[in-house]
Amino acid sequence: MLSLLDVAERAQRGHFMEEKDWDLALFKKVTELVRKYELKYPGDGSWFNTDDDLVERAFQAGIDFIVEQGVYCMNGKVVHFSRNEVMAALKEVPNRVVVGEGRDARVLTQKKIEGTEPPNVRAGHHAPFTEDLAPLVVKNFAQLPFGDYIEGFNFAVVDGREIYGMPLEVYAAKRQLFWMREGVRKAGRPGMAIAYYPINTRAAVLIAPIDPDYGLRRTDGILLSILPGVKFEIDLLTAAIVYDDYGCFKVNGGGRSQVGGFCGGPEGAIVEAVAKPIVGWMCYKDTFSYAGVGHILATTAKHFANYQPIINWASSVACQALNTKTKMVLFDGPQSLASGPGRETYLIELAVAGIHAATNGLGLSSIRQGRARMNAAQTPLDHEWAYSVACATMNARIKRPQAGEIVARLAKKLEGRQPEPGMDIRECYDLVRHQPSADYDRKRQVLQDELASWGLVFD
């Protein structure tokens, strides 16, 4: 299998291409592969794919893209891989990864489509919180017993200073990990794995938090994401080499594709969504990957675009292709949620995410409002709710056609409604007592009762 040093060498020696030319070439290649492999929505209102032959074709389309088009490095060079190199790399993908240490260690494994094993869960963050809330917020998310690991957060001010320039970025990176470490300790889970959410993507800032006492341990991880358009960065590759040697796990937060970009429509997004997690493994050795398809308009007030059947269908095709043809440990990344915490519409969107993850064999990650606002993007209840819906779907042995019917009924509840802005976490969640507000919990209970009447089995 190719090493990260091989990738770094090719990133220096590859042929030069302007980024705009790559984007246009990507659209042309994706369009060609969609036609070649007959990737087409059946037009029957399906929310989930049930065509196994289509899964095979989608996977081959993603492989063809990597082999025939290559991968774009942001230094302007195009990196190419042979088909043998891609297939050899896929054989090396781990399907079982231990994160954390001691009694807080967790084993994350690949999940099955329509499986019955509880999903892997990244419990919290990938969202903005102010420094005054940091340790208490981390503690509350780390207290979620089903959480396997926890991710850092972003913020604009540290010690009263605006984070601007590399010295302050490095300092902020180290402070983030200090707060994370303090938070998991206060939650009684000192060995819980932490994934660093980068303050900035410059190599020095990415590497700064390595510290076995107060920062990243060898059992922790870092977010190293592939960019839209199947692109990677030299600074992230640099960090990947360092972390690979150090021993941390790595997460591809850019494994999803967005309809409306240079990949085109839902069918084109499938090709990109299959390719990006594979590229994340080859270019960064990302251990886990977000997966699926979203819509770039999903967070706008125009409509809940990610609840159109064709978008959910496209996401299921890509996830099923990766889950059946590779050993990858995948996570759903519902970052296109339009509403925010404390709202009924947000709970409905999260229920869709939970059913989608359970049905397509995904873990739960990035449970937050798409256009996140400071201190108002997520609460622990949101994670509890999505997890309970995923487990209830599995408990009921829900199959894809029935899951589609339930999601369609949930989507119907959103018709004609506008996304609701999220509440400040302190308005809908008691961070001292570790419990949601009575109003927010009531909204959850009402929706849970409704889902139970539709066939989901809650514990």
Side-chain angles (χ1 to χ4, degrees):
M1 177 182 170
L2 289 173
S3 70
L4 292 178
L5 295 180
D6 293 322
V7 176
E9 200 169 52
R10 294 186 189 189
Q12 299 302 323
R13 296 180 178 179
H15 72 272
F16 180 82
M17 180 182 283
E18 294 285 353
E19 187 176 4
K20 63 180 181 180
D21 294 330
W22 168 265
D23 292 335
L24 293 174
L26 179 145
F27 176 75
K28 182 178 179 181
K29 173 57 68 174
V30 165
T31 302
E32 172 192 318
L33 291 170
V34 167
R35 287 197 300 264
K36 176 181 177 181
Y37 286 102
E38 299 179 346
L39 307 181
K40 186 177 181 180
Y41 182 58
D44 57 1
S46 300
W47 288 80
F48 293 91
N49 174 63
T50 57
D51 183 348
D52 293 336
D53 185 62
L54 176 59
V55 168
E56 175 68 32
R57 299 199 307 272
F59 178 73
Q60 293 303 325
I63 297 297
D64 280 5
F65 178 89
I66 299 170
V67 173
E68 297 172 12
Q69 192 68 21
V71 182
Y72 190 78
C73 182
M74 293 304 290
N75 67 355
K77 300 296 182 69
V78 179
V79 174
H80 290 282
F81 302 107
S82 71
R83 189 173 301 274
N84 286 340
E85 288 172 336
V86 175
M87 301 314 293
L90 286 177
K91 291 180 180 179
E92 299 298 322
V93 173
N95 68 343
R96 180 182 183 277
V97 182
V98 179
V99 303
E101 62 183 17
R103 63 183 176 84
D104 298 312
R106 295 290 180 91
V107 180
L108 277 64
T109 59
Q110 187 186 59
K111 306 302 179 182
K112 296 185 181 301
I113 297 167
E114 299 176 339
T116 58
E117 185 182 3
N120 303 311
V121 179
R122 197 270 297 135
H125 307 326
H126 197 98
F129 288 99
T130 49
E131 58 180 330
D132 59 309
L133 288 181
L136 190 56
V137 165
V138 176
K139 174 188 174 184
N140 272 265
F141 282 96
Q143 284 179 291
L144 297 173
F146 52 80
D148 295 307
Y149 75 96
I150 190 168
E151 190 177 307
F153 54 93
N154 55 331
F155 45 101
V157 176
V158 60
D159 292 359
R161 303 172 189 268
E162 181 183 2
I163 302 170
Y164 181 79
M166 190 179 295
L168 276 166
E169 290 165 2
V170 166
Y171 178 73
K174 296 179 74 66
R175 289 294 290 169
Q176 179 196 136
L177 267 296
F178 176 81
W179 291 327
M180 294 296 297
R181 187 64 62 199
E182 183 68 6
V184 298
R185 184 189 65 79
K186 288 183 175 180
R189 300 183 65 182
M192 185 181 193
I194 297 168
Y196 169 41
Y197 184 103
I199 295 295
N200 182 281
T201 57
R202 286 187 279 208
V205 184
L206 292 169
I207 296 168
I210 291 178
D211 181 343
D213 295 318
Y214 302 106
L216 288 176
R217 303 168 179 170
R218 286 177 166 83
T219 52
D220 293 325
I222 182 173
L223 202 72
L224 298 176
S225 302
I226 297 298
L227 296 172
V230 197
K231 304 169 185 176
F232 75 103
E233 302 175 68
I234 285 292
D235 280 271
L236 269 68
L237 174 56
T238 303
I241 291 171
V242 173
Y243 280 102
D244 203 53
D245 183 65
Y246 187 58
C248 287
F249 65 88
K250 298 178 288 295
V251 183
N252 179 8
R256 304 183 84 214
S257 178
Q258 295 293 331
V259 173
F262 282 101
C263 62
E267 291 86 357
I270 291 171
V271 179
E272 186 184 37
V274 171
K276 288 175 74 180
I278 298 172
V279 169
W281 168 247
M282 296 190 70
C283 292
Y284 297 148
K285 290 294 184 293
D286 283 327
T287 321
F288 312 131
S289 183
Y290 293 6
V293 172
H295 196 297
I296 60 174
L297 294 179
T299 59
T300 69
K302 291 182 179 179
H303 54 86
F304 291 115
N306 57 322
Y307 298 125
Q308 295 175 353
I310 190 172
I311 305 299
N312 204 79
W313 166 84
S315 189
S316 74
V317 173
C319 294
Q320 290 171 26
L322 291 165
N323 243 333
T324 57
K325 305 300 293 184
T326 79
K327 298 181 291 183
M328 290 185 171
V329 177
L330 304 173
F331 284 86
D332 186 21
Q335 295 182 53
S336 49
L337 304 183
S339 293
R343 311 298 186 180
E344 180 194 18
T345 49
Y346 186 60
L347 293 173
I348 294 171
E349 293 183 89
L350 287 171
V352 173
I355 295 169
H356 178 75
T359 306
N360 292 304
L362 307 174
L364 289 167
S365 185
S366 288
I367 298 171
R368 45 153 268 202
Q369 184 179 24
R371 293 192 174 181
R373 293 189 302 117
M374 187 68 71
N375 298 334
Q378 60 181 202
T379 77
L381 175 68
D382 314 335
H383 290 67
E384 288 182 311
W385 171 237
Y387 179 76
S388 67
V389 171
C391 291
T393 303
M394 295 174 177
N395 291 341
R397 303 294 195 270
I398 299 292
K399 302 302 180 184
R400 283 168 278 180
Q402 186 182 356
E405 294 172 5
I406 295 172
V407 169
R409 295 176 76 173
L410 285 167
K412 191 76 174 175
K413 294 172 70 67
L414 296 174
E415 283 189 4
R417 301 176 68 171
Q418 294 292 311
E420 299 174 284
M423 302 170 105
D424 185 289
I425 190 171
R426 291 162 292 192
E427 295 176 333
C428 57
Y429 200 90
D430 188 331
L431 292 169
V432 175
R433 294 176 176 81
H434 186 57
Q435 62 185 27
S437 67
D439 178 65
Y440 197 20
D441 194 47
R442 179 189 59 78
K443 291 173 182 174
R444 177 203 59 79
Q445 187 62 56
V446 169
L447 187 54
Q448 178 174 311
D449 291 343
E450 189 168 20
L451 286 172
S453 72
W454 295 352
L456 269 62
V457 180
F458 291 88
D459 294 327

